[in-house]
Amino acid sequence: PFSRRDARCALARSLDLAQIPRILGGGEVPAAGWVPPALAPGRGRVALSFDVAAAKDLARRGGLAAEHPVELHYYAKDIHTPVMEWAQGQWKKNLGLDVRLVREEGKIYWAHLASSPPALFLSGTTAWFAHPYSFLSELASDSAANWGRYTSRAYDEATAQAHRAATAPRLAHAVADAEKELLERDCAIVPLYFRNTLMLTAFQLKESLAVSE
């Protein structure tokens, strides 16, 4: 059923992302879009908002039904299990949809996505450089990280414009166009949350010389 846009949008609209910080408790921020807020300042909500009535209508039109259970695949990491169980519960409560969780070890999971990705699965990414293009390019048609095989000429063009943008207003416009295509028109992904990433960026070693007599 996830070949149907309405079915995908139903999944997006039936998740109350405001609950995620309470579930994880690590400073996670519910996602209002695909690009993190630090890289898209001033942007409002782009992802579809939580609306159970609208989600039920979309599910009916998209062919989601209690008698047709689905599988949600995710990779083995402690933080993922409570989030996947939460999503499972939300879809049961708000759509009456039975979802079976499938947990796989990391190497097996990524090989699975590369060869034959399931219809519904968890993924995530971290920006390699501080620019919206680092996120947008992940889901371009020719990206090796585009596990869901998402293809949209409009999204690809907006992503290319973001890469070429020479001014902040042009960049903001291109990002808005790309996210609107990805999250509103196609509901290709369901952004869940942004996490804090701590890393060592630079360090200095100082040599000490011990002199003994």
Side-chain angles (χ1 to χ4, degrees):
F2 303 118
S3 61
R4 305 185 186 103
R5 182 260 182 192
D6 287 341
R8 298 192 301 271
C9 292
L11 296 182
R13 303 213 73 165
S14 55
L15 293 178
D16 184 5
L17 301 185
Q19 298 179 13
I20 285 183
R22 175 175 55 81
I23 294 168
L24 295 179
E28 291 79 8
V29 177
W34 170 227
V35 177
L39 300 183
R43 179 199 58 195
R45 168 166 286 279
V46 181
L48 295 177
S49 59
F50 175 59
D51 188 326
V52 174
K56 287 181 177 179
D57 186 55
L58 287 164
R60 177 183 54 79
R61 289 191 276 134
L64 292 180
E67 60 268 25
H68 300 300
V70 299
E71 291 185 346
L72 170 57
H73 292 243
Y74 69 104
Y75 53 105
K77 196 173 182 181
D78 289 343
I79 194 174
H80 294 155
T81 298
V83 178
M84 295 297 93
E85 290 177 347
W86 166 81
Q88 179 188 46
Q90 288 271 289
W91 288 326
K92 179 64 174 179
K93 174 184 175 183
N94 298 327
L95 297 180
L97 188 65
D98 287 322
V99 177
R100 185 173 77 88
L101 299 181
V102 181
R103 174 184 167 115
E104 296 178 313
E105 294 301 320
K107 290 183 178 180
I108 297 173
Y109 186 78
W110 297 114
H112 187 183
L113 294 193
S115 60
S116 56
L120 188 60
F121 62 91
L122 177 71
S123 186
T125 190
T126 299
W128 292 104
F129 50 94
H131 192 281
Y133 182 75
S134 181
F135 275 83
L136 297 178
S137 62
E138 292 267 317
L139 296 174
S141 299
D142 59 354
S143 169
N146 182 3
W147 307 112
R149 312 292 196 266
Y150 174 59
T151 301
S152 165
R153 182 178 297 178
Y155 178 83
D156 289 346
E157 178 56 31
T159 296
Q161 288 178 5
H163 191 215
R164 297 192 300 263
T167 65
R170 288 184 179 180
L171 175 60
H173 183 74
V175 171
D177 284 349
E179 290 193 306
K180 188 174 185 66
E181 193 72 23
L182 178 72
L183 304 176
E184 292 186 14
R185 293 197 181 99
D186 292 335
C187 297
I189 64 171
V190 183
L192 296 177
Y193 62 88
F194 299 113
R195 65 180 184 269
N196 293 319
T197 301
L198 303 177
M199 64 183 70
L200 181 66
T201 57
F203 65 94
Q204 183 178 10
L205 291 178
K206 293 183 178 180
E207 295 183 357
S208 60
L209 179 62
V211 179
S212 61
E213 295 180 358

